[in-house]
Amino acid sequence: SSDVCSSDLLIVTLKEKFKVALIFKEDYSFFNPNHFDRTTRDFFLNSLSQHPQLEMSYHSCKNEFDTSKLKGKCDIVLLANNRTDATPDKLIGIKNLGVPVVSRVGDPHHAQKYDQISFHEKWNISCYFGAIPKDYFYKYYPESFRYDTIIFGLEPTLYKNLRSFDERIKNRILNSGATGKLSLKSRLAVSILKPKQSAWYFYKLRTMCNYLPYVDYKGIRGSKYPDLSYPDYLSQYRAAIAATTYYPTQKYWEIPAAGCLTFMEMTEKNHGDYLGFQDEKTAIFINKQNYKEKFQNFLDDPDNPKWKQIAQSGKNYTLTHLTNIRAIEKLVDLFKTLI
């Protein structure tokens, strides 16, 4: 029996390290170092290789990749997205490779637009992961597909040595990200031509905030926010807005990580409670009924120490629970269930 125990221990030890082959298109825009959103690149090309249980290999290509060259050399195939912007259309021999295929998934509401469900069988995908809540994933994908919520993208080193809370702009609130155009002509046009595809549909409250005279909004210029990295841009302000209608996006953890008092849209519709933030403790929860009142409470007394305390608690919570380090731990746990 001792020989059996030793053998079992050896197998466990060998499987504590996973050989992961990341296959991706060489021109995938989110892997471009000059892309304004570096979170995907940080996670896949930098953070994964630093984890002691992962032995990463990287395979960039154009529109096809012969997976037979990976036979016996990997335990997992990892795809950056289940779309052909990130993954080559032809993964030759993927069904004969004999290893699980794990894919990150982007916006589920685009599944039909980009025919993403067809890739499930074509690419032999075993499991999906992403930062979105499960309810939203299964609104567009079959219940038979396995999906794990893994909040990734936040690289803690980028949020060190930022401007202190006391030195920041306190009489205005920052709004950032995609928003709808405010003109009546534009609103009418999108309501007719693409009512469920516009920024007004996905970011309604965020867009409404731009009507307020004390809200600062600047869009992305070229490949980044005005002359700054996003963490530096955020750290100019004491308070900033994270508001999405149907599910939380990266801003929900990037903004508090930068030490901002985060006005965070939280509703039953956007399922944001899975992130773990607490109202008046790690963020200020807002909705379409109360956002103006919540903003005004801050602006009327911006030096009240409670705002700084909430901002700091939000930062601490985010950098403890919502970083790439935590995400990779969950991804490794997922790998263990597949092998």
Side-chain angles (χ1 to χ4, degrees), residues 53-303:
Q53 287 184 270
L54 299 181
E55 184 178 317
M56 299 294 301
S57 62
Y58 302 91
H59 308 274
S60 66
C61 52
K62 292 186 178 178
N63 201 41
E64 65 177 48
F65 181 80
D66 185 356
T67 66
S68 64
K69 66 181 69 176
L70 300 176
K71 192 75 173 179
K73 298 179 181 179
C74 70
D75 302 308
I76 296 277
V77 165
L78 184 62
L79 307 178
N81 202 350
N82 63 331
R83 266 182 62 183
T84 54
D85 64 332
T87 301
D89 181 67
K90 298 178 181 178
L91 295 178
I92 301 167
I94 191 69
K95 292 184 179 181
N96 300 320
L97 191 58
V99 301
V101 178
V102 177
S103 178
R104 172 235 174 184
V105 65
D107 296 327
H109 50 264
H110 287 321
Q112 183 174 358
K113 178 180 179 181
Y114 297 111
D115 195 26
Q116 286 169 278
I117 293 175
S118 71
F119 297 122
H120 181 77
E121 183 177 352
K122 184 177 180 180
W123 293 343
N124 203 34
I125 297 174
S126 309
C127 183
Y128 301 85
F129 75 93
I132 54 178
K134 283 190 174 184
D135 287 347
Y136 197 73
F137 176 84
Y138 288 116
K139 184 176 179 181
Y140 299 95
Y141 284 87
E143 289 284 344
S144 59
F145 289 12
R146 179 177 171 183
Y147 172 79
D148 282 13
T149 298
I150 297 177
I151 300 166
F152 72 93
L154 189 71
E155 195 58 44
T157 55
L158 301 178
Y159 292 84
K160 293 182 177 180
N161 305 317
L162 298 177
R163 189 176 307 184
S164 71
F165 189 84
D166 294 332
E167 297 174 331
R168 302 181 183 194
I169 296 168
K170 64 181 182 180
N171 60 346
R172 305 188 65 79
I173 299 172
L174 178 65
N175 196 19
S176 61
T179 61
K181 294 181 179 179
L182 301 183
S183 70
L184 180 59
K185 180 180 179 181
S186 177
R187 291 192 64 180
L188 287 172
V190 298
S191 68
I192 296 170
L193 299 175
K194 47 180 182 179
K196 293 188 177 181
Q197 300 175 40
S198 70
W200 269 102
Y201 181 76
F202 290 109
Y203 312 115
K204 185 171 184 178
L205 179 55
R206 185 196 295 178
T207 300
M208 289 166 61
C209 290
N210 284 347
Y211 283 110
L212 301 173
Y214 49 77
V215 168
D216 282 350
Y217 176 80
K218 294 178 182 177
I220 295 166
R221 295 177 183 173
S223 62
K224 60 184 179 180
Y225 286 92
D227 302 319
L228 297 166
S229 69
Y230 191 53
D232 286 323
Y233 182 51
L234 290 171
S235 68
Q236 292 182 340
Y237 293 79
R238 290 188 182 182
I241 299 162
T244 54
T245 306
Y246 294 100
Y247 60 93
T249 58
Q250 296 276 357
K251 289 184 179 9
Y252 276 69
W253 40 100
E254 290 174 321
I255 292 173
C260 298
L261 175 69
T262 306
F263 288 101
M264 192 176 287
E265 183 176 13
M266 281 286 176
T267 65
E268 290 185 7
K269 184 182 287 187
N270 74 8
H271 309 281
D273 57 343
Y274 76 100
L275 296 176
F277 289 99
Q278 295 180 283
D279 190 22
E280 302 285 340
K281 293 183 179 179
T282 51
I284 304 294
F285 291 178
I286 59 172
N287 55 48
K288 286 186 288 186
Q289 286 70 47
N290 67 16
Y291 72 106
K292 293 180 183 179
E293 177 186 353
K294 298 282 187 176
F295 292 164
Q296 202 61 55
N297 287 342
F298 164 72
L299 294 169
D300 286 344
D301 190 14
D303 292 319

Side-chain angles (χ1 to χ4, degrees), residues 43 48 51 53-54 150 320-321 323-336:
F43 181 73
L48 288 174
H51 195 279
Q53 287 184 270
L54 299 181
I150 297 177
T320 301
H321 298 284
T323 64
N324 280 338
I325 297 168
R326 293 293 189 187
I328 297 171
E329 289 173 354
K330 292 182 178 180
L331 191 60
V332 169
D333 287 341
L334 186 158
F335 291 166
K336 290 176 182 178

